[in-house]
């Protein structure tokens, strides 16, 4: 036994002494290699290659092109200094393995992979880089071998500074999505899985920070009358009856866009208020059937003046995909503004490069798309619109002011119908000079603010046309159309001392007017007013009292909040009654508040329930529970969330 113990001790001593010697020999061998590593280029990437602007608080990687003249692989971390020199990140490879630089050209994305031709080609990072400061960052730098552990023939070329790049905040974009139903339709709601995939794709392809794109689920809106007619008649009926009032209510509650889901469309969607004069950018109508993951990004793209490459848009059909969250880079895809099949992405021009350009009536050459059977043709375009990129529009956040939301219907017989109340809201005012004009057969109108002496104290000019351009679902082409009504909604900055607001035509004829009375109405929510408890699926009778000292007729707009009043979701617009029946079948458990806004035609008063009422937690299925659980996890698990979403749906 003593001899065996002694032999083990001797072997242990040999192992202890031999292993360090081998390591010293390996390091010595590395040191004796002759060569150099240096950086060719560095490029910050969020959505596309060679971006003109970075968005704060959006996942970012830095692509580093490294050249090595060594004849063998060497090891070198990469240090990134970013966010105006305030932050650093050192990429030293997959956990447990160093970052390998191979002979020749290496393409490395920091943090994480892929590293080409490093092994492995992809690994999960500890997070992504995010800028939080704004301005022009001239301190973005990459450095090889920051601790100088690698002996090189040139030790002075390991650093590379990027040219100054603009960094900007993205504004908050609030998107409301509501299902609609008509007489005879069953109750239904939009799948949360559908919305998750649409939002995920938008975050991947739009210049928006994750915290700046909010989707909010609205309740089912029931209409007592269905849109009528076929073709353009049906489209205009859908616009006037459904999209227009929902757009008004969403604007009152501070939403930038509203997705209206319906089974009246068999597929696809339509930016129903665009290519009209004046335009209404909020509403997009979406089919509840056959919803591709990029459909909302495509249709909302039209409201940001992105057009198809086969007709009005620049004839750019493909894009290089840089999906930072999924760590997939450089794959050629179709642009999502085309009609080509998935996978899709956004091209550089539409993302940040195409200049703002007005498209006026005239003959345009549509390039077509031979890949999907669209022939080139020359087409007369009778509308007027812009062509622009997303970045310019989504890195501006203009201030808000007290505005009057003026809305109504122009009719082809020369009259104006004021079928809804106007509302005072806090909003970004419309600027007359920025309202699109130039459409065929357009006419001039004026909204005048007058004081007690009937003197004009503010003028808001706008143009309108009963000609517009529509999308023909049968031919998939843009075509001229005519309507007999033109809805309009304008945010016009409130002017102190206004006592009368008129709408006049170019001849000075008053088409409609409203008095601005001295007193605002008052309203009080009476039920539910706090402390009540209901179950999901209950029918809740919402009740309130409204009064106006000037004896004006009052109309009411209703909303609820399930996040303590941070966001308000509209549920009814401009109704005369002082009660509303709410079916909560499509709501989730939580604490709720009710808001009622009363309008006397211009002035408003509002009230919020004194306390919250409860829809208690209900039993959910196993799959529903885990889907909701994963929805709340950080973005490090997008694939698991997506796969579980497919099972859940």
């Amino acid at each position: 036994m003593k001899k065996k113990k002694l032999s083990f001790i001797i072997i242990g001593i040999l192992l202890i002494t031999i292993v360090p010697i081998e390591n010293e020999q390996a390091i010595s061998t590395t040191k004796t290699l002759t060569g150099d590593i240096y950086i060719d280029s560095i490029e910050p990437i969020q959505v596309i290659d060679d971006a003109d602007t970075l968005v704060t608080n959006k996942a970012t990687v830095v692509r580093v092109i490294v050249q090595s003249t060594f004849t063998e692989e060497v090891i070198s971390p990469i240090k990134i200094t970013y966010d105006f020199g305030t932050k650093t990140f050192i990429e030293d490879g997959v956990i447990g393995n160093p970052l390998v630089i191979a002979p020749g050209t290496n393409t490395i994305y920091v943090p994480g992979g892929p590293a080409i031709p490093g092994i492995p080609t992809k690994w999960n990072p500890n997070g992504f880089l995010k800028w939080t400061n704004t301005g022009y960052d001239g301190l973005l730098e990459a450095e090889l071998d920051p601790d100088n552990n690698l002996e090189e023939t040139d030790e002075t070329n390991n650093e590379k500074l990027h040219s100054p790049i603009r960094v900007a905040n993205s504004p908050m974009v609030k998107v409301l999505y509501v299902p609609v139903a008509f007489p005879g339709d069953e109750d239904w709601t939009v799948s949360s899985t559908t919305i998750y995939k649409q939002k995920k794709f938008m975050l991947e392809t739009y210049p928006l920070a994750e915290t700046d794109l909010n989707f909010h689920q609205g309740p089912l809106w029931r209409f007592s009358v269905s849109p009528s007619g076929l073709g353009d008649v049906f489209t205009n009926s859908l616009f006037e009856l459904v999209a227009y009032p929902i757009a008004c209510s969403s604007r009152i509650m501070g939403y930038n866009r509203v997705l209206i889901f319906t089974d009246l469309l068999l597929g696809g969607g339509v930016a129903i208020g665009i290519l009209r004069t004046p335009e209404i950018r909020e509403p997009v109508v979406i089919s509840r059937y056959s919803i591709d993951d990029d459909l909302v990004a495509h249709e909302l793209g039209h409201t940001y003046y992105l057009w198809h490459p086969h007709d009005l848009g620049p004839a750019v059909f493909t894009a290089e995909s840089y999906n930072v969250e999924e760590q997939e880079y450089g794959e050629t895809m179709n642009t999502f503004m085309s009609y080509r099949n998935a996978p899709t992405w956004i091209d550089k021009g539409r993302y940040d490069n195409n200049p703002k350009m007005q498209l006026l009536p005239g003959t345009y050459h549509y390039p077509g798309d031979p890949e999907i059977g669209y022939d080139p043709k020359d087409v007369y375009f009778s509308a007027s619109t812009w062509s622009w990129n997303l970045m310019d529009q989504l890195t501006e956040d203009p201030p808000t002011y007290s505005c009057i939301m003026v809305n109504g219907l122009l009719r082809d017989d020369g009259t104006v119908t004021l079928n809804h109340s106007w509302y005072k809201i806090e909003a970004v005012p419309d600027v007359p000079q920025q309202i699109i004009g130039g459409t065929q057969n357009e006419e001039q109108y004026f909204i005048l603010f007058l004081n007690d002496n009937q003197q004009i104290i503010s003028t808001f000019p706008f143009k309108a046309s009963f000609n517009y351009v529509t999308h023909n679902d049968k031919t998939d082409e843009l075509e001229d159309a005519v309507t007999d009504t033109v809805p309009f909604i304008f945010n016009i900055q409130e002017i102190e001392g206004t006592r009368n607001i008129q709408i006049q035509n170019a001849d000075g004829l008053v088409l409609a007017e409203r008095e601005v009375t001295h007193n605002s109405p008052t309203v009080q929510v009476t039920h539910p007013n706090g402390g009540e408890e209901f179950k999901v699926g209950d029918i809740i009778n919402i009740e309130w009292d409204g009064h106006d000292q000037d004896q004006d007729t009052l109309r009411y707009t209703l909303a609820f909040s399930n996040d303590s009043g941070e966001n308000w979701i509209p549920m009814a617009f401009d109704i005369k009654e002082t009660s509303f029946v709410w079916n909560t079948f499509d709501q989730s458990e939580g604490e709720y508040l009710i808001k009622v806004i009363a309008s006397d035609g211009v002035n408003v008063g509002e009230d919020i329930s004194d306390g919250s009422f409860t829809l208690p937690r209900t039993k959910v299925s196993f799959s529903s529970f885990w889907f909701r659980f994963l929805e709340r996890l950080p973005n490090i698990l997008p694939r698991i969330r997506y796969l579980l979403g497919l099972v859940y749906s």
Side-chain angles (χ1 to χ4, degrees), residues 31-74:
K31 290 285 187 180
T32 58
L33 289 174
T34 301
D36 186 38
I37 57 174
Y38 60 93
I39 299 174
D40 255 354
S41 65
I42 63 172
E43 188 65 41
I45 291 175
Q46 293 181 332
V47 175
I48 63 168
D49 185 18
D50 192 27
D52 297 330
T53 301
L54 297 179
V55 174
T56 57
N57 297 304
K58 188 174 182 68
T60 311
V61 293
V62 175
R63 183 182 62 204
V64 184
I65 307 295
V66 178
Q67 298 290 346
S68 173
T69 64
F70 286 98
T71 58
E72 297 181 16
E73 293 180 343
V74 295

Side-chain angles (χ1 to χ4, degrees), residues 381-454:
F381 176 71
S382 66
S384 178
T385 188
W386 300 107
S387 176
W388 210 352
N389 69 73
L390 288 177
M391 185 67 76
D392 286 352
Q393 300 173 74
L394 292 176
T395 51
E396 292 184 352
D397 195 9
T400 61
Y401 298 91
S402 177
C403 295
I404 298 176
M405 189 188 78
V406 177
N407 61 86
L409 287 174
L410 297 169
R411 299 190 179 276
D412 61 0
D413 61 2
T415 62
V416 173
T417 300
L418 304 182
N419 52 343
H420 295 300
S421 292
W422 299 346
Y423 287 76
K424 289 185 179 181
I425 61 175
E426 185 72 18
V428 177
D430 290 311
V431 180
Q433 292 81 1
Q434 296 178 357
I435 296 175
I436 298 173
T439 299
Q440 181 175 294
N441 298 326
E442 69 183 12
E443 298 178 8
Q444 184 73 56
Y445 297 87
F446 300 92
I447 299 175
L448 306 177
F449 285 39
L450 297 89
N451 61 16
D452 277 326
N453 299 320
Q454 293 299 293

